[in-house]
């Protein structure tokens, strides 16, 4: 009914990218159409990067994440996406920590970024700093999936299986 609605192409793209049998090529086409209709849509640009990432086209995805930052250097989600790219796709943990820290600086209430920064710092072997960020994420979202998952990891790291199980139940 609204073939020229960027928002509807975005929503359909999200659906295609996240259904159990994800249809990434179709999702990419939907996000590209959304971007044609709204060339400054940071959300569409980020999703194009994500879908390229899901397709294993990591270098291309990074270009899209950086493109979003060119449009709006204060767009926190772009810093997260670049951080996750360095963490999960290229294994550059130090670089990932720099980018995800920028996300937290721009959006200190983002429970997901706070908890992910904590987990990343655990991976880097800094449990004290990790605990700081994970505790903040739990304070902001005591029932949040990511905050509790991060807290579970922290307790496992510290050898406290009972506390890890408690947070694991919240995750479940």
């Amino acid at each position: 009914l609204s073939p020229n609605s960027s928002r509807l192409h975005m929503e359909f793209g999200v659906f295609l990218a996240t259904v159990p049998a994800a249809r990434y090529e179709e999702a990419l086409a939907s996000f590209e159409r959304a971007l044609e209709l709204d060339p400054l849509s940071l959300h569409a640009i980020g999703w194009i990067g994500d879908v390229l990432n899901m397709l294993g086209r990591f270098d291309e995805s990074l270009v899209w994440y950086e493109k979003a930052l060119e449009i709006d250097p204060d767009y926190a989600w772009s810093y997260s996406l670049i951080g996750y790219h360095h963490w999960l796709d290229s294994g550059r943990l130090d670089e990932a920590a720099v980018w995800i820290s920028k996300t937290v600086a721009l959006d200190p209430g983002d429970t997901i970024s706070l908890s992910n920064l904590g987990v990343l710092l655990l991976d880097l072997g800094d449990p004290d700093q990790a605990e700081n960020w994970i505790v903040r994420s739990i304070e902001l979202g005591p029932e949040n999936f990511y905050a509790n998952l991060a807290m579970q990891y922290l307790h496992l790291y510290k050898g406290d299986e009972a506390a890890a199980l408690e947070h694991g139940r919240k995750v479940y």
Side-chain angles (χ1 to χ4, degrees), residues 44-65:
I45 291 169
W47 269 103
I48 288 171
D50 278 353
V51 171
L52 289 169
N53 193 32
M54 292 170 200
L55 289 166
R57 294 160 57 182
F58 304 121
D59 292 338
E60 289 177 72
S61 70
L62 184 57
V63 169
W64 284 93
Y65 300 150

Side-chain angles (χ1 to χ4, degrees), residues 3-163:
N4 292 322
S5 170
S6 176
R7 181 169 185 263
L8 290 177
H9 284 282
M10 283 292 306
E11 295 297 328
F12 189 54
V14 171
F15 168 76
L16 292 169
T18 57
V19 293
R23 297 162 33 192
Y24 297 130
E25 293 292 346
E26 291 174 77
L28 183 59
S30 192
F31 292 129
E32 288 171 341
R33 179 66 180 135
L35 189 60
E36 286 174 20
L37 295 166
D38 182 2
L40 298 178
S41 171
L42 298 171
H43 204 63
I45 291 169
W47 269 103
I48 288 171
D50 278 353
V51 171
L52 289 169
N53 193 32
M54 292 170 200
L55 289 166
R57 294 160 57 182
F58 304 121
D59 292 338
E60 289 177 72
S61 70
L62 184 57
V63 169
W64 284 93
Y65 300 150
E66 291 169 344
K67 183 178 197 160
L69 281 182
E70 289 172 17
I71 294 170
D72 183 357
D74 292 327
Y75 188 53
W77 190 42
S78 293
Y79 291 97
S80 288
L81 295 172
I82 293 171
Y84 300 144
H85 169 82
H86 289 304
W87 184 10
L88 304 172
D89 301 331
S90 67
R92 296 170 52 203
L93 304 184
D94 289 342
E95 187 74 13
V98 168
W99 287 95
I100 296 174
S101 293
K102 290 178 182 180
T103 304
V104 169
L106 285 169
D107 188 359
D110 179 2
T111 307
I112 295 171
S113 294
L114 289 168
S115 56
N116 283 335
L117 180 58
V119 172
L120 176 57
L121 289 167
L122 278 178
D123 282 352
L124 284 166
D126 190 349
D128 294 333
Q129 280 299 313
E131 185 168 7
N132 173 52
W133 296 111
I134 294 169
V135 166
R136 286 178 66 184
S137 72
I138 286 287
E139 288 170 353
L140 289 171
E143 301 301 319
N144 181 277
F145 172 87
Y146 295 99
N148 279 285
L149 185 61
M151 189 59 85
Q152 180 183 25
Y153 289 150
L154 177 64
H155 286 301
L156 287 173
Y157 185 91
K158 294 167 94 178
D160 187 346
E161 291 181 21

